[in-house]
Amino acid sequence: MAELTKEEVKHVAHLARLAITEEEAEKFALQLGAITEFAEQLKELDTTNVEPTTHVLPLVNVLREDVATKGLERDTMMLNVKDQEAGQVKVPSIMD
């Protein structure tokens, strides 16, 4: 896999709405390159006889049973809402 460039790191940071400096972009490019290089090494392992697992121990669900209960009344909940419109919580727009 090709190494990430500073420009690619800065582009991804921009998409994630993160402000990074030139020095950070260079550092992250090196770090991400090392991570992807390690991931490439893992591809070389022979896993033909390895069963897929989600956990190394045979765990079972130890939580309580999921039972539906009635939530707060809308009027009660809306007392804590700063801005509302037509019975719904109004939040600032996040799209440009």
Side-chain angles (χ1 to χ4, degrees), residues 50-64:
V50 178
E51 289 188 37
T53 59
T54 57
H55 201 280
V56 294
L57 300 175
L59 295 177
V60 294
N61 191 355
V62 294
L63 302 175
R64 65 173 169 74

Side-chain angles (χ1 to χ4, degrees), residues 6 9-10 13 18-29:
K6 281 191 331 184
V9 171
K10 289 177 1 184
L18 298 173
I20 62 173
T21 64
E22 288 290 325
E23 294 80 24
E24 289 173 326
E26 189 170 325
K27 180 177 84 171
F28 294 149

